[in-house]
Amino acid sequence: MKRGKITVDVAELRVVREGSEILHSLSFRASEGELIGLLGPSGSGKSTLMRSLLGVQVIAGGALQILTKPAGARSLRGKLGYMAQGSAVYLDLSVEENLHYFAGVLNEPREEVARVLEVVSLTSFARRVVSSLSGGERTRVSLATALLGSPPILILDEPTVGLDPILRRDLWDTFKKLAESGTTVLVSSHVMDEAARCERLLLLRDGHLLFDDSPTNLLAASKSSSYDDAFERLIEQHS
Amino acid sequence: MNLRRVLLTTRRILQQLRHDPRTIGLLLLVPSALIGLLAWTLSRRPSSFASIGPQLLGVFPLIVMFLVTSVITLRERTVGTLERLFTLPLTKGEFIAGYAFAFGLLAVVQSMLVATLSYTWFGLSHQGIPWRIGLVALCAGLLGTALGLALSAVAHSEFQAVQFMPAFILPQLLLCGLFVPVGQLPAALRLIADVLPMTAAIHAIAPWQSTAFYTGQFAIMVAYILGALAAGAATIRRKTK
Ligand SMILES: Nc1ncnc2c1ncn2[C@@H]1O[C@H](COP(=O)(O)OP(=O)(O)OP(=O)(O)O)[C@@H](O)[C@H]1O
Ligand SMILES: [Mg+2]
């Protein structure tokens, strides 16, 4: 795998919400073409980290450089494709009305909408109102908005939640392809087995980065045979 | 400010409303229905309707638009679409202007409907000119939208937004001259009442005043509309604490 330029540079990031520190001095870097899994128990700070990268979270300390600009810089808007946890789309609009609006704000042509619908297998749902869709279908609408305009960085907060195994596999294949074409893809998940699909894992617990390496090294380091075991052991080691 | 993104936002909001015909119906018809009801209750005292009817034309659109706008913008925040938009090249000003245009358009339709029905079906006979009454209804609707946008940045939930109604709108209702003529209020209250937008709406409807007086009242309302829109753009934060 050919490594490109550094696209994300997080140095000693600290986030404090309502008086308590949620992320403690987090540091890592990501490059072009990397597919990174962000794993960790509920409440460990995955979404907060992602929102900090997007520049919509006030940070208490540290530095966040995205494409050599400070996170949240005006010139970065639209350069990071974001899929928020819990599908941040308009429930009272149809699928294509949602996508046309987001594409319009990004100044992308209308054909881009058809393309992303194809990627998430929702072409036949284009005219359905989002509130009439199932949870997994809504998630994919939200994912489609993140893919608009093929941004150089993708930040996907639990994109495979509530999806069947076949769709999950298809989406991971898509993420892989995107990474191969040079996109930096950061994907959060609860499901440890999905970890194996990434070439690099970040494990987060209570706002601390416990592990940053490949899945194979995770198994080796913790002498475990399954990813669930490996994660449990790692957490025990650090508590 | 990029006009294309403003209009895209306006279109998106109107599309949302189109999928929700009940809200559109309530928005457009409630002020007219209320005035119609008032006309009916006063049908044996036509002179009372002639004096109160036009004043309420400046009050009902404000309340209706305030409620709808604050709840819809708050929903953007709770569902997460607002944060999503702020990761895109959309500015706060464009967002606010998009809403102002969408609801401004509805306010135009709403005010034309209520003014037309009042003069025809409800039998309003008023010394004022109909277009001035229509204009007051429009300003009231726009003001409701602007206040709703400004306050939705402060409210944390739809529930709170609705509670701003009694706090911000009802005091104006008491002071605007509907119950006690502004001239008969205690001096301190009169000073406040004279600069409130709802008072300006009611003054602007009053018959037999000079052009300069009417212009002044409309200027007060426009200043409040622009001020509230600016406050809305200033209070919305791209970043969450
Ligand atoms: N608005 C808030 N104010 C204060 N604390 C918050 C707020 N939102 C989240 N937190 C706290 O921040 C911590 C990290 O939350 P975050 O949403 O980043 O976790 P997560 O890893 O994404 O969890 P999940 O897997 O459940 O989505 C949690 O302890 C949570 O309680
Ligand atoms: Mg989360």
Side-chain angles (χ1 to χ4, degrees), chain A residues 195-226:
Chain A
R197 304 177 192 264
C198 300
E199 33 185 296
R200 180 173 165 200
L201 291 181
L202 299 178
L203 293 190
L204 211 55
R205 199 199 58 147
D206 290 344
H208 291 282
L209 198 55
L210 297 189
F211 181 87
D212 176 1
D213 207 336
S214 69
T216 5
N217 286 348
L218 174 64
L219 293 185
S222 57
K223 301 191 187 64
S224 326
S225 52
S226 83

Short mmCIF file of all heavy atoms in Angstrom, two decimals, chain A residues 195-226:
data_model
loop_
_atom_site.label_atom_id
_atom_site.label_comp_id
_atom_site.label_asym_id
_atom_site.label_seq_id
_atom_site.Cartn_x
_atom_site.Cartn_y
_atom_site.Cartn_z
N ALA A 195 -13.10 -4.72 12.68
CA ALA A 195 -11.75 -4.20 12.80
C ALA A 195 -10.80 -4.84 11.80
O ALA A 195 -9.95 -4.18 11.20
CB ALA A 195 -11.24 -4.44 14.21
N ALA A 196 -10.98 -6.15 11.60
CA ALA A 196 -10.07 -6.90 10.75
C ALA A 196 -10.01 -6.34 9.34
O ALA A 196 -9.06 -6.55 8.60
CB ALA A 196 -10.49 -8.35 10.71
N ARG A 197 -11.04 -5.64 8.95
CA ARG A 197 -11.08 -5.12 7.58
C ARG A 197 -10.19 -3.89 7.39
O ARG A 197 -9.94 -3.48 6.28
CB ARG A 197 -12.50 -4.74 7.21
CG ARG A 197 -13.48 -5.89 7.38
CD ARG A 197 -14.86 -5.37 7.04
NE ARG A 197 -15.88 -6.32 7.43
CZ ARG A 197 -16.41 -7.20 6.60
NH1 ARG A 197 -16.02 -7.24 5.35
NH2 ARG A 197 -17.34 -8.02 7.02
N CYS A 198 -9.79 -3.27 8.50
CA CYS A 198 -8.96 -2.07 8.38
C CYS A 198 -7.50 -2.47 8.42
O CYS A 198 -7.14 -3.49 9.00
CB CYS A 198 -9.22 -1.12 9.54
SG CYS A 198 -10.91 -0.60 9.62
N GLU A 199 -6.65 -1.65 7.84
CA GLU A 199 -5.23 -1.93 7.94
C GLU A 199 -4.66 -1.31 9.20
O GLU A 199 -3.55 -1.62 9.62
CB GLU A 199 -4.51 -1.40 6.72
CG GLU A 199 -5.20 -0.14 6.22
CD GLU A 199 -4.62 0.37 4.95
OE1 GLU A 199 -3.44 0.74 4.98
OE2 GLU A 199 -5.34 0.41 3.94
N ARG A 200 -5.45 -0.41 9.81
CA ARG A 200 -4.95 0.25 11.01
C ARG A 200 -6.11 0.46 11.97
O ARG A 200 -7.21 0.82 11.54
CB ARG A 200 -4.33 1.58 10.62
CG ARG A 200 -3.78 2.36 11.78
CD ARG A 200 -3.05 3.59 11.27
NE ARG A 200 -2.81 4.54 12.33
CZ ARG A 200 -2.55 5.82 12.13
NH1 ARG A 200 -2.50 6.29 10.88
NH2 ARG A 200 -2.34 6.62 13.14
N LEU A 201 -5.85 0.24 13.26
CA LEU A 201 -6.88 0.40 14.27
C LEU A 201 -6.48 1.43 15.30
O LEU A 201 -5.33 1.46 15.73
CB LEU A 201 -7.08 -0.91 15.04
CG LEU A 201 -7.70 -2.07 14.30
CD1 LEU A 201 -7.81 -3.25 15.26
CD2 LEU A 201 -9.06 -1.66 13.81
N LEU A 202 -7.44 2.26 15.68
CA LEU A 202 -7.25 3.13 16.84
C LEU A 202 -8.24 2.65 17.89
O LEU A 202 -9.43 2.57 17.60
CB LEU A 202 -7.55 4.59 16.50
CG LEU A 202 -6.73 5.30 15.44
CD1 LEU A 202 -7.24 6.71 15.24
CD2 LEU A 202 -5.26 5.32 15.86
N LEU A 203 -7.75 2.29 19.07
CA LEU A 203 -8.66 1.88 20.13
C LEU A 203 -8.75 2.96 21.18
O LEU A 203 -7.72 3.40 21.72
CB LEU A 203 -8.18 0.59 20.80
CG LEU A 203 -8.19 -0.66 19.95
CD1 LEU A 203 -7.92 -1.88 20.83
CD2 LEU A 203 -9.51 -0.83 19.26
N LEU A 204 -9.97 3.36 21.46
CA LEU A 204 -10.19 4.46 22.38
C LEU A 204 -10.92 3.92 23.60
O LEU A 204 -11.83 3.10 23.48
CB LEU A 204 -11.08 5.48 21.66
CG LEU A 204 -10.94 6.96 21.98
CD1 LEU A 204 -9.52 7.43 21.82
CD2 LEU A 204 -11.86 7.75 21.06
N ARG A 205 -10.47 4.32 24.79
CA ARG A 205 -11.24 3.99 25.98
C ARG A 205 -11.19 5.16 26.94
O ARG A 205 -10.11 5.65 27.25
CB ARG A 205 -10.72 2.74 26.66
CG ARG A 205 -11.79 2.15 27.59
CD ARG A 205 -11.21 1.23 28.60
NE ARG A 205 -10.22 1.93 29.39
CZ ARG A 205 -9.99 1.66 30.67
NH1 ARG A 205 -10.66 0.72 31.28
NH2 ARG A 205 -9.05 2.32 31.34
N ASP A 206 -12.34 5.61 27.42
CA ASP A 206 -12.43 6.77 28.32
C ASP A 206 -11.57 7.93 27.86
O ASP A 206 -10.91 8.59 28.66
CB ASP A 206 -12.02 6.38 29.74
CG ASP A 206 -13.05 5.47 30.39
OD1 ASP A 206 -14.18 5.40 29.86
OD2 ASP A 206 -12.72 4.82 31.40
N GLY A 207 -11.55 8.17 26.57
CA GLY A 207 -10.82 9.33 26.05
C GLY A 207 -9.31 9.15 25.96
O GLY A 207 -8.60 10.11 25.69
N HIS A 208 -8.82 7.91 26.21
CA HIS A 208 -7.38 7.63 26.04
C HIS A 208 -7.22 6.74 24.81
O HIS A 208 -8.02 5.83 24.59
CB HIS A 208 -6.82 6.88 27.25
CG HIS A 208 -6.76 7.71 28.49
ND1 HIS A 208 -5.78 8.65 28.71
CD2 HIS A 208 -7.58 7.75 29.58
CE1 HIS A 208 -5.98 9.24 29.89
NE2 HIS A 208 -7.08 8.71 30.43
N LEU A 209 -6.14 6.99 24.06
CA LEU A 209 -5.83 6.13 22.93
C LEU A 209 -5.02 4.95 23.45
O LEU A 209 -3.89 5.12 23.90
CB LEU A 209 -5.03 6.94 21.91
CG LEU A 209 -4.93 6.42 20.49
CD1 LEU A 209 -6.32 6.19 19.91
CD2 LEU A 209 -4.16 7.39 19.62
N LEU A 210 -5.62 3.73 23.42
CA LEU A 210 -4.94 2.57 23.99
C LEU A 210 -4.04 1.87 22.98
O LEU A 210 -3.08 1.20 23.35
CB LEU A 210 -5.96 1.53 24.48
CG LEU A 210 -6.91 1.91 25.61
CD1 LEU A 210 -7.65 0.66 26.06
CD2 LEU A 210 -6.13 2.51 26.76
N PHE A 211 -4.39 1.98 21.73
CA PHE A 211 -3.70 1.16 20.73
C PHE A 211 -3.77 1.85 19.38
O PHE A 211 -4.79 2.44 19.04
CB PHE A 211 -4.40 -0.21 20.67
CG PHE A 211 -3.78 -1.17 19.69
CD1 PHE A 211 -2.72 -1.99 20.07
CD2 PHE A 211 -4.26 -1.24 18.39
CE1 PHE A 211 -2.16 -2.88 19.16
CE2 PHE A 211 -3.70 -2.14 17.49
CZ PHE A 211 -2.65 -2.96 17.88
N ASP A 212 -2.67 1.80 18.64
CA ASP A 212 -2.66 2.39 17.30
C ASP A 212 -1.71 1.56 16.44
O ASP A 212 -0.51 1.81 16.40
CB ASP A 212 -2.18 3.86 17.39
CG ASP A 212 -2.06 4.50 16.02
OD1 ASP A 212 -2.36 3.83 15.01
OD2 ASP A 212 -1.67 5.68 15.96
N ASP A 213 -2.27 0.53 15.82
CA ASP A 213 -1.43 -0.36 14.99
C ASP A 213 -2.34 -1.21 14.12
O ASP A 213 -3.55 -0.98 14.08
CB ASP A 213 -0.56 -1.24 15.90
CG ASP A 213 0.73 -1.69 15.22
OD1 ASP A 213 0.77 -1.72 13.98
OD2 ASP A 213 1.69 -2.01 15.94
N SER A 214 -1.76 -2.22 13.48
CA SER A 214 -2.56 -3.05 12.57
C SER A 214 -3.33 -4.11 13.36
O SER A 214 -2.94 -4.46 14.48
CB SER A 214 -1.64 -3.74 11.57
OG SER A 214 -0.87 -4.71 12.26
N PRO A 215 -4.41 -4.66 12.79
CA PRO A 215 -5.19 -5.70 13.49
C PRO A 215 -4.35 -6.93 13.81
O PRO A 215 -4.50 -7.52 14.90
CB PRO A 215 -6.29 -6.05 12.50
CG PRO A 215 -6.37 -4.92 11.55
CD PRO A 215 -5.03 -4.27 11.53
N THR A 216 -3.46 -7.33 12.92
CA THR A 216 -2.63 -8.51 13.19
C THR A 216 -1.78 -8.29 14.43
O THR A 216 -1.65 -9.17 15.27
CB THR A 216 -1.69 -8.82 11.99
OG1 THR A 216 -1.84 -7.79 11.03
CG2 THR A 216 -1.99 -10.17 11.41
N ASN A 217 -1.22 -7.09 14.54
CA ASN A 217 -0.40 -6.80 15.73
C ASN A 217 -1.24 -6.72 17.00
O ASN A 217 -0.73 -6.96 18.08
CB ASN A 217 0.38 -5.50 15.53
CG ASN A 217 1.53 -5.70 14.57
OD1 ASN A 217 1.87 -6.84 14.23
ND2 ASN A 217 2.11 -4.61 14.11
N LEU A 218 -2.52 -6.40 16.84
CA LEU A 218 -3.39 -6.37 18.02
C LEU A 218 -3.53 -7.79 18.58
O LEU A 218 -3.41 -8.02 19.78
CB LEU A 218 -4.77 -5.81 17.65
CG LEU A 218 -5.82 -5.86 18.76
CD1 LEU A 218 -5.43 -4.97 19.94
CD2 LEU A 218 -7.20 -5.44 18.25
N LEU A 219 -3.77 -8.76 17.67
CA LEU A 219 -3.90 -10.15 18.10
C LEU A 219 -2.59 -10.64 18.72
O LEU A 219 -2.59 -11.27 19.79
CB LEU A 219 -4.30 -11.05 16.93
CG LEU A 219 -5.68 -10.83 16.35
CD1 LEU A 219 -5.97 -11.88 15.27
CD2 LEU A 219 -6.74 -10.91 17.45
N ALA A 220 -1.48 -10.33 18.07
CA ALA A 220 -0.17 -10.79 18.55
C ALA A 220 0.15 -10.18 19.90
O ALA A 220 0.53 -10.89 20.85
CB ALA A 220 0.91 -10.42 17.53
N ALA A 221 -0.05 -8.89 20.03
CA ALA A 221 0.33 -8.19 21.26
C ALA A 221 -0.47 -8.70 22.46
O ALA A 221 0.04 -8.75 23.57
CB ALA A 221 0.13 -6.69 21.09
N SER A 222 -1.74 -9.06 22.21
CA SER A 222 -2.57 -9.46 23.35
C SER A 222 -2.70 -10.98 23.44
O SER A 222 -3.43 -11.48 24.29
CB SER A 222 -3.95 -8.83 23.21
OG SER A 222 -4.51 -9.22 21.97
N LYS A 223 -1.97 -11.69 22.59
CA LYS A 223 -2.01 -13.16 22.55
C LYS A 223 -3.45 -13.67 22.55
O LYS A 223 -3.83 -14.53 23.33
CB LYS A 223 -1.26 -13.75 23.75
CG LYS A 223 0.21 -13.33 23.80
CD LYS A 223 0.96 -14.14 24.84
CE LYS A 223 2.37 -13.65 25.06
NZ LYS A 223 2.43 -12.26 25.62
N SER A 224 -4.25 -13.11 21.69
CA SER A 224 -5.65 -13.54 21.62
C SER A 224 -5.94 -14.09 20.23
O SER A 224 -5.20 -13.83 19.28
CB SER A 224 -6.60 -12.35 21.85
OG SER A 224 -6.06 -11.46 22.76
N SER A 225 -7.03 -14.85 20.16
CA SER A 225 -7.38 -15.40 18.85
C SER A 225 -8.52 -14.63 18.23
O SER A 225 -8.72 -14.68 17.02
CB SER A 225 -7.76 -16.88 19.00
OG SER A 225 -8.74 -16.98 20.01
N SER A 226 -9.30 -13.92 19.05
CA SER A 226 -10.38 -13.13 18.45
C SER A 226 -10.22 -11.67 18.84
O SER A 226 -9.58 -11.34 19.85
CB SER A 226 -11.74 -13.64 18.92
OG SER A 226 -12.04 -13.08 20.18
#
